[in-house]
mmCIF file of all heavy atoms in Angstrom:
data_model
loop_
_atom_site.group_PDB
_atom_site.id
_atom_site.type_symbol
_atom_site.label_atom_id
_atom_site.label_comp_id
_atom_site.label_asym_id
_atom_site.label_seq_id
_atom_site.Cartn_x
_atom_site.Cartn_y
_atom_site.Cartn_z
ATOM 1 N N HIS A 77 -0.274 -10.314 3.503
ATOM 2 C CA HIS A 77 -0.800 -10.411 4.867
ATOM 3 C C HIS A 77 0.226 -11.125 5.741
ATOM 4 O O HIS A 77 0.725 -12.183 5.389
ATOM 5 C CB HIS A 77 -2.119 -11.189 4.880
ATOM 6 C CG HIS A 77 -2.623 -11.453 6.267
ATOM 7 N ND1 HIS A 77 -3.315 -10.513 6.978
ATOM 8 C CD2 HIS A 77 -2.520 -12.553 7.064
ATOM 9 C CE1 HIS A 77 -3.639 -11.020 8.165
ATOM 10 N NE2 HIS A 77 -3.170 -12.264 8.231
ATOM 11 N N ARG A 78 0.554 -10.518 6.881
ATOM 12 C CA ARG A 78 1.457 -11.166 7.828
ATOM 13 C C ARG A 78 0.607 -11.927 8.837
ATOM 14 O O ARG A 78 -0.268 -11.353 9.483
ATOM 15 C CB ARG A 78 2.334 -10.148 8.537
ATOM 16 C CG ARG A 78 3.346 -10.787 9.463
ATOM 17 C CD ARG A 78 4.174 -9.732 10.172
ATOM 18 N NE ARG A 78 5.009 -10.365 11.157
ATOM 19 C CZ ARG A 78 6.303 -10.632 10.996
ATOM 20 N NH1 ARG A 78 6.898 -10.281 9.874
ATOM 21 N NH2 ARG A 78 6.995 -11.210 11.934
ATOM 22 N N ALA A 96 -9.857 -11.682 -0.591
ATOM 23 C CA ALA A 96 -10.752 -11.396 0.543
ATOM 24 C C ALA A 96 -9.949 -10.976 1.777
ATOM 25 O O ALA A 96 -10.342 -10.052 2.504
ATOM 26 C CB ALA A 96 -11.608 -12.617 0.855
ATOM 27 N N LEU A 97 -8.819 -11.627 2.010
ATOM 28 C CA LEU A 97 -7.967 -11.295 3.147
ATOM 29 C C LEU A 97 -7.376 -9.894 2.992
ATOM 30 O O LEU A 97 -7.358 -9.106 3.951
ATOM 31 C CB LEU A 97 -6.858 -12.345 3.273
ATOM 32 C CG LEU A 97 -5.932 -12.253 4.465
ATOM 33 C CD1 LEU A 97 -6.707 -12.329 5.763
ATOM 34 C CD2 LEU A 97 -4.907 -13.386 4.393
ATOM 35 N N LEU A 98 -6.926 -9.563 1.801
ATOM 36 C CA LEU A 98 -6.396 -8.220 1.524
ATOM 37 C C LEU A 98 -7.459 -7.159 1.772
ATOM 38 O O LEU A 98 -7.214 -6.153 2.453
ATOM 39 C CB LEU A 98 -5.892 -8.140 0.082
ATOM 40 C CG LEU A 98 -5.621 -6.745 -0.492
ATOM 41 C CD1 LEU A 98 -4.545 -6.029 0.296
ATOM 42 C CD2 LEU A 98 -5.236 -6.843 -1.955
ATOM 43 N N ARG A 99 -8.645 -7.370 1.242
ATOM 44 C CA ARG A 99 -9.731 -6.392 1.415
ATOM 45 C C ARG A 99 -10.106 -6.226 2.884
ATOM 46 O O ARG A 99 -10.342 -5.123 3.349
ATOM 47 C CB ARG A 99 -10.943 -6.810 0.588
ATOM 48 C CG ARG A 99 -10.729 -6.654 -0.896
ATOM 49 C CD ARG A 99 -11.842 -7.311 -1.710
ATOM 50 N NE ARG A 99 -11.522 -7.264 -3.114
ATOM 51 C CZ ARG A 99 -11.726 -6.214 -3.895
ATOM 52 N NH1 ARG A 99 -12.265 -5.127 -3.407
ATOM 53 N NH2 ARG A 99 -11.394 -6.256 -5.173
ATOM 54 N N ARG A 100 -10.143 -7.339 3.609
ATOM 55 C CA ARG A 100 -10.461 -7.265 5.042
ATOM 56 C C ARG A 100 -9.411 -6.440 5.788
ATOM 57 O O ARG A 100 -9.730 -5.564 6.585
ATOM 58 C CB ARG A 100 -10.544 -8.676 5.629
ATOM 59 C CG ARG A 100 -11.019 -8.676 7.086
ATOM 60 C CD ARG A 100 -10.861 -10.013 7.721
ATOM 61 N NE ARG A 100 -9.427 -10.161 8.036
ATOM 62 C CZ ARG A 100 -8.869 -11.289 8.439
ATOM 63 N NH1 ARG A 100 -9.576 -12.387 8.536
ATOM 64 N NH2 ARG A 100 -7.594 -11.339 8.722
ATOM 65 N N ASP A 101 -8.137 -6.725 5.504
ATOM 66 C CA ASP A 101 -7.053 -5.990 6.162
ATOM 67 C C ASP A 101 -7.087 -4.507 5.813
ATOM 68 O O ASP A 101 -6.905 -3.652 6.683
ATOM 69 C CB ASP A 101 -5.692 -6.563 5.751
ATOM 70 C CG ASP A 101 -5.410 -7.922 6.351
ATOM 71 O OD1 ASP A 101 -6.120 -8.325 7.302
ATOM 72 O OD2 ASP A 101 -4.481 -8.598 5.868
ATOM 73 N N LEU A 102 -7.324 -4.198 4.546
ATOM 74 C CA LEU A 102 -7.327 -2.804 4.105
ATOM 75 C C LEU A 102 -8.514 -2.043 4.707
ATOM 76 O O LEU A 102 -8.377 -0.891 5.127
ATOM 77 C CB LEU A 102 -7.338 -2.726 2.579
ATOM 78 C CG LEU A 102 -6.979 -1.384 1.956
ATOM 79 C CD1 LEU A 102 -5.625 -0.884 2.438
ATOM 80 C CD2 LEU A 102 -6.974 -1.486 0.443
ATOM 81 N N ARG A 103 -9.676 -2.687 4.784
ATOM 82 C CA ARG A 103 -10.839 -2.042 5.425
ATOM 83 C C ARG A 103 -10.567 -1.761 6.898
ATOM 84 O O ARG A 103 -10.928 -0.711 7.420
ATOM 85 C CB ARG A 103 -12.078 -2.924 5.288
ATOM 86 C CG ARG A 103 -12.748 -2.819 3.952
ATOM 87 C CD ARG A 103 -14.105 -3.531 3.945
ATOM 88 N NE ARG A 103 -14.538 -3.695 2.583
ATOM 89 C CZ ARG A 103 -14.406 -4.807 1.870
ATOM 90 N NH1 ARG A 103 -13.881 -5.888 2.402
ATOM 91 N NH2 ARG A 103 -14.825 -4.859 0.628
ATOM 92 N N LYS A 104 -9.926 -2.711 7.554
ATOM 93 C CA LYS A 104 -9.593 -2.550 8.969
ATOM 94 C C LYS A 104 -8.651 -1.353 9.154
ATOM 95 O O LYS A 104 -8.854 -0.529 10.058
ATOM 96 C CB LYS A 104 -8.935 -3.838 9.473
ATOM 97 C CG LYS A 104 -8.644 -3.886 10.933
ATOM 98 C CD LYS A 104 -8.234 -5.305 11.302
ATOM 99 C CE LYS A 104 -7.095 -5.302 12.270
ATOM 100 N NZ LYS A 104 -6.594 -6.635 12.563
ATOM 101 N N LEU A 105 -7.662 -1.236 8.298
ATOM 102 C CA LEU A 105 -6.730 -0.103 8.377
ATOM 103 C C LEU A 105 -7.433 1.209 8.046
ATOM 104 O O LEU A 105 -7.151 2.241 8.668
ATOM 105 C CB LEU A 105 -5.531 -0.331 7.457
ATOM 106 C CG LEU A 105 -4.518 -1.362 7.963
ATOM 107 C CD1 LEU A 105 -3.563 -1.760 6.850
ATOM 108 C CD2 LEU A 105 -3.761 -0.825 9.158
ATOM 109 N N CYS A 106 -8.342 1.183 7.079
ATOM 110 C CA CYS A 106 -9.098 2.404 6.745
ATOM 111 C C CYS A 106 -9.900 2.883 7.959
ATOM 112 O O CYS A 106 -9.976 4.088 8.214
ATOM 113 C CB CYS A 106 -10.034 2.162 5.564
ATOM 114 S SG CYS A 106 -9.213 2.157 3.979
ATOM 115 N N TYR A 124 -0.439 -0.809 5.317
ATOM 116 C CA TYR A 124 -0.506 -2.222 4.924
ATOM 117 C C TYR A 124 0.892 -2.748 4.639
ATOM 118 O O TYR A 124 1.200 -3.900 4.903
ATOM 119 C CB TYR A 124 -1.401 -2.391 3.695
ATOM 120 C CG TYR A 124 -1.635 -3.834 3.322
ATOM 121 C CD1 TYR A 124 -2.586 -4.583 4.001
ATOM 122 C CD2 TYR A 124 -0.903 -4.450 2.321
ATOM 123 C CE1 TYR A 124 -2.801 -5.918 3.683
ATOM 124 C CE2 TYR A 124 -1.110 -5.780 1.997
ATOM 125 C CZ TYR A 124 -2.060 -6.504 2.682
ATOM 126 O OH TYR A 124 -2.266 -7.821 2.374
#
Side-chain angles (χ1 to χ4, degrees):
H77 174 82
R78 184 181 173 101
L97 185 58
L98 166 61
R99 289 170 186 278
R100 186 190 77 190
D101 289 345
L102 196 55
R103 280 190 195 99
K104 185 170 139 185
L105 286 166
C106 282
Y124 186 81

